Amino acid sequence: SSGINAEYGELGDTISIVCAAHGHGTMDPLVYWIKGIGASHSEKGKRLGPTSIGKSTFYIDAAESEDIDTYQCVIEDCCGNKETIDVEIIVPEATCQDVYGLGHVVYGATWTFRNWTDAVADCASKGMELALPTSDEENEQLRLDLERSFNTHPNANKFKHENWCWLGATDVAEEGLWRKTSDDSELEYFNWDRRQPDNKPGTAGNPVSQNVAGIHRGSGKWDDSYSYYKRPYACLCPRQDA
């Protein structure tokens, strides 16, 4: 793969991306596009037509919600060797705003793959904090906000096979003592899934154990996880006046 290219736009925009290659003394290669390779850029996806020789232009006249996805340009030579270029179409998150018909939300979902540390930093850069419920009511509110956003926000299309989102809690300083990332205070509320947290050990390649928390966007149950995993997440939105 030749890396990931992000294309930013708005719904209704025209999207035009040219993918081209030449054969260098041989026939020009076949060029075609695949849609829906997932947030991890590893899913099979659906091949789009037509197949071109030497150059293929991915074109959308007016982008709709279902067009906001991950794509891959495939360049295939005469011997069947392939090179790929991944492209991710992204619209503005508008994390805590009613832009995509969500209405008022307490937790604004961000449908971008980031590791836990980067998710914490991204929320902080917006003047917010990574979501962390402190009661059953808040936990259910987070689950509902994630569900509504998943079903409505165009950027969520590529996350249909990703069920876990980050939470602002860690026990990295002392195993088993979970603290909030916002103020380093001890957690008093938990909603762990069955047999969690289990603190699975790291590997030879990455010795860090499971020391950060995530929430299942379907069940609302928590799990401990590896901080280097990449997942979507939600920030706690600023309070709105009634």
Side-chain angles (χ1 to χ4, degrees), residues 40-139:
S40 62
H41 298 249
S42 60
E43 296 176 24
K44 184 176 180 180
K46 178 182 178 182
R47 183 164 171 170
L48 305 176
T51 298
S52 303
I53 297 176
K55 181 175 74 172
S56 178
T57 301
F58 174 75
Y59 182 84
I60 299 172
D61 182 54
E64 299 181 1
S65 180
E66 58 266 27
D67 299 318
I68 310 305
D69 211 327
T70 45
Y71 297 83
Q72 187 175 75
C73 174
V74 181
I75 301 167
E76 183 175 349
D77 68 16
C78 59
C79 301
N81 300 310
K82 297 178 182 179
E83 292 186 21
T84 60
I85 301 172
D86 296 345
V87 176
E88 185 170 356
I89 309 297
I90 302 170
V91 295
E93 287 291 346
T95 304
C96 294
Q97 303 170 30
D98 184 15
V99 174
Y100 301 106
L102 271 70
H104 170 67
V105 294
V106 176
Y107 301 97
T110 296
W111 299 106
T112 301
F113 251 176
R114 287 192 172 97
N115 64 39
W116 183 84
T117 302
D118 289 345
V120 171
D122 183 62
C123 288
S125 73
K126 300 171 182 174
M128 296 182 278
E129 59 191 59
L130 190 58
L132 180 65
T134 59
S135 66
D136 284 341
E137 292 76 16
E138 290 182 5
N139 199 78

Side-chain angles (χ1 to χ4, degrees), residues 132 168-170 178-180 185-190 192 222:
L132 180 65
T170 178
W178 288 87
R179 294 182 178 274
K180 301 177 183 178
S185 61
E186 292 184 34
L187 267 65
E188 297 179 356
Y189 170 81
F190 305 91
W192 296 116
W222 298 10

